[in-house]
Amino acid sequence: MPHMFQDFLSQRTYNMRRNQIREILKVVSQPGMISLAGGIPAPETFPIEDLYRINEAVLDRYGAAALQYDLTEGFTPFREALVSYLGAKEINIGADEVLVFNGSQSVLDTLGKVLITPGDIIALETPSYLGAISAFSAYEPSYVSIATDDEGILPQSLEETLDRHRVKFIYLVTTFQNPTGRTLSAGRRQQVAEIVTRRGALVIEDDPYSDLRYRGEAVPAFYTFAPENTVYVSTVSKVFAPGLRLGFCLAPPLIHEWLYTAKQGADLHSNTYAQALAAEYICGGYIYEQVPKIIELYRPRQEAMLAAMEQHIPSDYVWTKPDGGMFIWAEGPEGVDAEQLYWKAVEQKVAFVPGKYFFIDPAEGLPTMRLNFTRADENAIEEAIATLGRVIREFKSV
Amino acid sequence: MPHMFQDFLSQRTYNMRRNQIREILKVVSQPGMISLAGGIPAPETFPIEDLYRINEAVLDRYGAAALQYDLTEGFTPFREALVSYLGAKEINIGADEVLVFNGSQSVLDTLGKVLITPGDIIALETPSYLGAISAFSAYEPSYVSIATDDEGILPQSLEETLDRHRVKFIYLVTTFQNPTGRTLSAGRRQQVAEIVTRRGALVIEDDPYSDLRYRGEAVPAFYTFAPENTVYVSTVSKVFAPGLRLGFCLAPPLIHEWLYTAKQGADLHSNTYAQALAAEYICGGYIYEQVPKIIELYRPRQEAMLAAMEQHIPSDYVWTKPDGGMFIWAEGPEGVDAEQLYWKAVEQKVAFVPGKYFFIDPAEGLPTMRLNFTRADENAIEEAIATLGRVIREFKSV
């Protein structure tokens, strides 16, 4: 009987959870399934043809430097490219303010490591991004919820939360949120900035989706309203390629310094070659041609989903109509259990994510569901939503 | 006065330390300096020309899959390639036993996360690899030392350490160790395996250098002597390119499972594109042409260093004569402080690493120094060692 090492695990390991969504989504790979469950880019959005050229340019320009150990902070040409990329979003910073990580997931993990002492309280919007919860949970915090409406978190609820709890930080996906697609409105950003600045609170702003805008005017990053109280987190995963695992952040100086030290101990630095590819992708102007193509692919898919929902989803359901991103969030009337709907839909070869997984208290989210529109084409989306509408009506009449 | 957020740092953050070596090595980039201080591959060893072809092959073969989100465990073709690579080292495993990480540093960090509860005791050989200490320290362990000689750790000292302390794991760089260049002999591996198997102890075997063998016969990995009690950690950094940040491990099933879960929360998965490049580098056979070239570059550099030391270093110094790796370890007589020598050598444009930084108790390592021979050519090495010999003699006569 081999040694199992159960008693060798750390206390914090018992706080880690497998991503539960992955468990219920195992059926999604069945043949013929139309999946509205994922949260990943369509492969057609990757600039494969350009990459032949970008690779050559990287090897010609940087040679061995693109393959060598490099700075913990990030590859200098990539950090400089991000200055121009962020400048276009009215985030005006210097290259030395950028820290590069292995995807924004690894920024969130390292923030957890540097900031969270077991038992610390983190404030989350309701519902919230599950990946952040699984990154933070390894450091044994507890969570409190901030109430939200269609414009994002409610300032009143934020004030009450900060009155009642000693909150280490507030975690927000500010634009086209995962899972709801909601955007914190400009007015709200101003109000939230006023509150956190006055109280000396810290916001982690996660902003992976803001470039995927299909209509309406851009809202400046929350960071621009309260730069001294915000860690700004973003990624090139949605505008270049997620497989390169490149995220980055801007942080107040002391937090920046300790993120750097923690990263040095955790992985020395991020992939130099991937950073060189991304630098070339931005500096060579590829990104400014590619993002409009991505938008032109996703926009009609979102329009198809919204139109199909109007036609097929019963009128006692409500859903978000985001100006961008990857998700629509639907909520049925009280009494609906979207996980039961999920299993019925899967029998009909349609998958989505039951929304309860995005709540600290799953009971709050029973009738909700997250619908992704980036992976299936318009016809498949129309068919999937028609099926979902049928499943909902059949389920009701049982 | 902006908010500084001092009171926002986690308890564990106060345990993190900047890499002290980096601080004293800041002078190394001065013009004209010959550095024996680094631990990084020579850029001439990178297969730049091959990479033009490897990139094309990856884009042709995998297309979008090389750029997409992928499995937390690792990109399947890379894991399969590692099966054949490890098979050549008599490590016979299946692809599903391999877990891929962002360099072996990130394996060490994740092992710390999964295994170390604050206060746990970790046993280290003396001296030990500094990067491992900085990865583990974030999880607040304490350390105990195992005594070593030229064949690696002393079985008697290991037994005593395990008698005296409840040791969570024993961390060893088994072949061409950093910093000493020493290899745990086959006989010792057998004895250590017997001890840890009998006691149900856990060894973390870090093996980045074993392919860089310049003479003598390969010693099988410690893992092959005690597979059920060993986490085997390695990397392609020394045989392909460190900038790709690709490490991997094999671990007992329960530890494997929690490493997977921890990695999912920490960064989702490692760079897909880099893994595809490495898969092609191995499967295309490039690695089997490149490693002999790397050896042919490093071997004469090591020979030049050993010959120069024989000629220039005073006879009251002793040093290791490793069969491979990147380092020679020298020790002066009692009373020598190698950091003082360091500053004198730097004035003469030669840098190395004072060895005390590799000891839990720096006082134990005052007269030691680590000399790297992979970054400078034979002439520079000869010149640097001649200078070092002069500095040592001048210093003595003061």
Side-chain angles (χ1 to χ4, degrees), chain A residues 13 52 60 67 109 113-114 243, chain B residues 13 52 60 67 109 113-114 243:
Chain A
T13 297
Y52 287 88
D60 291 349
L67 300 164
D109 173 63
K113 194 175 201 178
V114 164
Chain B
T13 297
Y52 286 89
D60 291 350
L67 300 164
D109 172 62
K113 195 176 199 175
V114 164

Side-chain angles (χ1 to χ4, degrees), chain A residues 357-379:
Chain A
Y357 294 107
F358 301 97
F359 289 80
I360 299 168
D361 175 9
E364 267 190 78
L366 283 185
T368 62
M369 51 187 102
R370 190 190 74 176
L371 306 172
N372 166 266
F373 52 78
T374 62
R375 283 304 296 283
D377 67 20
E378 290 87 324
N379 290 336

Side-chain angles (χ1 to χ4, degrees), chain A residues 193-341:
Chain A
E194 190 278 317
I195 294 168
V196 301
T197 308
R198 170 163 45 80
R199 288 171 171 266
L202 180 66
V203 168
I204 295 177
E205 175 180 34
D206 194 355
D207 184 30
Y209 304 113
S210 61
D211 283 337
L212 303 181
R213 175 172 284 280
Y214 313 133
R215 66 193 73 84
E217 257 189 55
V219 186
F222 177 79
Y223 175 86
T224 63
F225 294 86
E228 288 174 357
N229 293 69
T230 305
V231 177
Y232 179 81
V233 183
S234 190
T235 174
V236 301
S237 290
K238 308 304 185 287
V239 294
F240 184 12
L244 297 179
R245 310 308 301 123
L246 290 177
F248 56 90
C249 77
L250 311 170
L254 185 77
I255 296 173
H256 174 111
E257 184 189 323
W258 285 105
L259 286 171
Y260 167 91
T261 301
K263 181 172 174 66
Q264 188 177 76
D267 61 20
L268 304 182
H269 66 88
S270 297
N271 191 307
T272 322
Y273 194 78
Q275 293 182 74
L277 292 177
E280 188 62 25
Y281 180 68
I282 295 171
C283 297
Y286 298 96
I287 191 171
Y288 303 107
E289 293 178 15
Q290 194 65 20
V291 171
K293 287 186 204 165
I294 299 171
I295 289 173
E296 284 319 305
L297 185 78
Y298 290 164
R299 188 202 333 249
R301 293 180 175 188
Q302 196 218 29
E303 286 168 354
M305 182 173 278
L306 287 170
M309 290 180 77
E310 209 58 61
Q311 195 182 341
H312 299 292
I313 304 297
S315 60
D316 52 356
Y317 276 64
V318 292
W319 54 87
T320 57
K321 288 149 188 103
D323 287 336
M326 300 174 69
F327 306 107
I328 288 170
W329 179 252
E331 182 164 0
E334 214 174 316
V336 166
D337 178 348
E339 184 163 349
Q340 290 184 292
L341 284 178

Side-chain angles (χ1 to χ4, degrees), chain B residues 91-152:
Chain B
I91 297 176
N92 299 307
I93 42 101
D96 58 357
E97 294 177 64
V98 180
L99 286 176
V100 178
F101 285 82
N102 304 306
S104 50
Q105 188 70 23
S106 134
V107 184
L108 300 177
D109 172 62
T110 312
L111 282 165
K113 195 176 199 175
V114 164
L115 297 175
I116 301 169
T117 298
D120 276 357
I121 295 168
I122 295 172
L124 300 173
E125 57 199 327
T126 309
S128 201
Y129 172 52
L130 198 71
I133 298 175
S134 70
F136 301 147
S137 290
Y139 303 101
E140 307 172 76
S142 45
Y143 299 103
V144 293
S145 283
I146 306 171
T148 56
D149 66 11
D150 260 359
E151 289 184 64

Side-chain angles (χ1 to χ4, degrees), chain B residues 68-108:
Chain B
Q68 187 57 285
Y69 284 115
D70 197 58
L71 300 177
T72 299
E73 306 85 301
F75 186 58
T76 302
F78 179 48
R79 296 169 88 203
E80 287 169 352
L82 287 174
V83 169
S84 88
Y85 169 74
L86 290 171
K89 296 173 185 274
E90 297 176 55
I91 297 176
N92 299 307
I93 42 101
D96 58 357
E97 294 177 64
V98 180
L99 286 176
V100 178
F101 285 82
N102 304 306
S104 50
Q105 188 70 23
S106 134
V107 184
L108 300 177

Side-chain angles (χ1 to χ4, degrees), chain B residues 312-329:
Chain B
H312 299 292
I313 304 296
S315 60
D316 52 354
Y317 276 64
V318 292
W319 55 89
T320 58
K321 287 145 190 106
D323 287 336
M326 301 173 70
F327 306 107
I328 289 170
W329 179 252

Side-chain angles (χ1 to χ4, degrees), chain B residues 73-246:
Chain B
E73 306 85 301
F75 186 58
T76 302
F78 179 48
R79 296 169 88 203
E80 287 169 352
L82 287 174
V83 169
S84 88
Y85 169 74
L86 290 171
K89 296 173 185 274
E90 297 176 55
I91 297 176
N92 299 307
I93 42 101
D96 58 357
E97 294 177 64
V98 180
L99 286 176
V100 178
F101 285 82
N102 304 306
S104 50
Q105 188 70 23
S106 134
V107 184
L108 300 177
D109 172 62
T110 312
L111 282 165
K113 195 176 199 175
V114 164
L115 297 175
I116 301 169
T117 298
D120 276 357
I121 295 168
I122 295 172
L124 300 173
E125 57 199 327
T126 309
S128 201
Y129 172 52
L130 198 71
I133 298 175
S134 70
F136 301 147
S137 290
Y139 303 101
E140 307 172 76
S142 45
Y143 299 103
V144 293
S145 283
I146 306 171
T148 56
D149 66 11
D150 260 359
E151 289 184 64
I153 58 169
L154 297 167
Q156 179 65 24
S157 175
L158 173 62
E159 291 269 25
E160 284 166 16
T161 304
L162 295 176
D163 282 342
R164 203 171 301 146
H165 304 281
R166 192 183 154 88
V167 167
K168 190 52 89 73
F169 59 78
I170 303 140
Y171 170 77
L172 303 175
V173 180
T174 45
T175 302
F176 311 138
Q177 193 226 16
N178 180 354
T180 64
R182 286 176 187 150
T183 294
L184 187 67
S185 68
R188 281 284 168 80
R189 285 176 201 229
Q190 188 59 62
Q191 289 172 284
V192 172
E194 190 279 316
I195 294 168
V196 300
T197 309
R198 169 163 45 80
R199 289 171 172 265
L202 181 65
V203 168
I204 296 178
E205 175 181 33
D206 193 353
D207 184 30
Y209 305 113
S210 61
D211 283 336
L212 303 180
R213 176 172 283 281
Y214 312 134
R215 66 193 73 84
E217 258 190 54
V219 185
F222 177 79
Y223 175 86
T224 64
F225 294 85
E228 288 175 359
N229 293 69
T230 305
V231 178
Y232 179 80
V233 183
S234 190
T235 174
V236 300
S237 290
K238 308 301 186 290
V239 295
F240 184 13
L244 298 178
R245 309 307 302 123
L246 290 178

